[in-house]
Amino acid sequence: MCGKPDSASNQPWLGGRDLDFLLHVADQLGLRSLLIGLMIFVPLERLFALREQQKILRKGVFTDLIYAIFNGTAVDILAGMLLAPVIGALAVLMPPSLPSAVSSQATWLQVLEIIVLTDLGVYAAHRAFHAIPVLWRFHSIHHSVEEMDWLAAFHSHPVDQMLTKAVALLPVFFLGFSGASIGIYFVIYAAHAMFIHANVKINFGPLKWLIASPQFHHWHHAGERAAYDKNFAGQLAIIDLIFGTFRVPGATTPAKYGVDDPIPANYFGQIGYPFLPRKGHDLGKAVVGTVKPASEA
């Protein structure tokens, strides 16, 4: 959403056409992502299935469809509303030449820079959502998926999505990246998010240390103690490698997914779950990925 500075106001962000363009991209990605998933990821999951016995209409699929249809654009707009006043307040600190220099770079270079910046933000926000019990209540909704496929990428509480996007995208908007480069990033991010959740078994070879793979992210969702506190990055596995949270054990995959939290199965129950009063035994939380059973809390 950050094009070149407006010549009159000298602000480093959000020209009118940039804003319209990015809202259009966000609006289109919601339903188009579903269409992309149906045309690309469903056949891919049949050809390279990790769990061949898993059905297309697997457990929770209709709840995930509701998330995909109703959450996307609304969350993008709310995150934008959250970011706008912060960016406006910080704009006075920005040297006018910096946004101009950033947006004048080649588009492909801007996209690479955005991927690095946003994934550092995703990593930081993701760790916080796992480590802080109040935030985990929202993020546990995403981890409640028990059968993984491309559609699970959409299964996130709006508060989780909104805060993560705000943290990840703030430096991108603030620094003045062009609307076109941010739009391309959104497309790459959406496709990659579906891919790493997909029910596929594809060997990344040495690239597994650099790029987040389905195996990498499936281990993040694993309901196994050895996998807790691992693989927080969304796109760049090397970030976890640098911070010591990388775990991809050989060619193995998790035996199970999900959490021990008493999370409702339906959409509206999950939206309301984080706001419900907590019971005594529900306070014990593992550092990452699941809540401790009562016997261990």
Side-chain angles (χ1 to χ4, degrees), residues 152-255:
F154 297 95
H155 189 123
S156 293
H157 195 283
V159 172
D160 183 352
Q161 288 182 298
M162 184 174 62
L163 292 180
T164 299
K165 286 187 175 184
V167 171
L169 293 172
L170 178 60
V172 174
F173 293 161
F174 182 60
L175 289 172
F177 287 92
S178 69
S181 63
I182 299 176
I184 293 171
Y185 161 76
F186 281 161
V187 173
I188 294 173
Y189 180 84
H192 192 222
M194 288 186 283
F195 178 61
I196 62 176
H197 287 87
N199 179 34
V200 294
K201 186 175 184 179
I202 297 177
N203 188 354
F204 268 38
L207 288 178
K208 72 177 184 179
W209 304 100
L210 175 63
I211 303 172
S213 65
Q215 184 193 19
F216 171 91
H217 195 68
H218 279 227
W219 271 110
H220 176 72
H221 278 263
E224 303 176 20
R225 187 160 300 278
Y228 299 169
D229 237 348
K230 307 296 181 184
N231 301 357
F232 293 109
Q235 293 182 281
L236 300 175
I238 193 173
I239 295 176
D240 281 279
L241 191 64
I242 291 171
F243 288 103
T245 51
F246 179 94
R247 185 175 192 271
V248 178
T252 62
T253 53

Side-chain angles (χ1 to χ4, degrees), residues 19 27 37 52 90 119-120 124-125 128 145 168 174 176 179 200 226 230 236-237 269:
L19 178 59
D27 181 57
E52 296 180 359
L90 293 174
D119 218 34
L120 286 170
V145 176
F174 182 60
V200 294
K230 307 296 181 184
L236 300 175

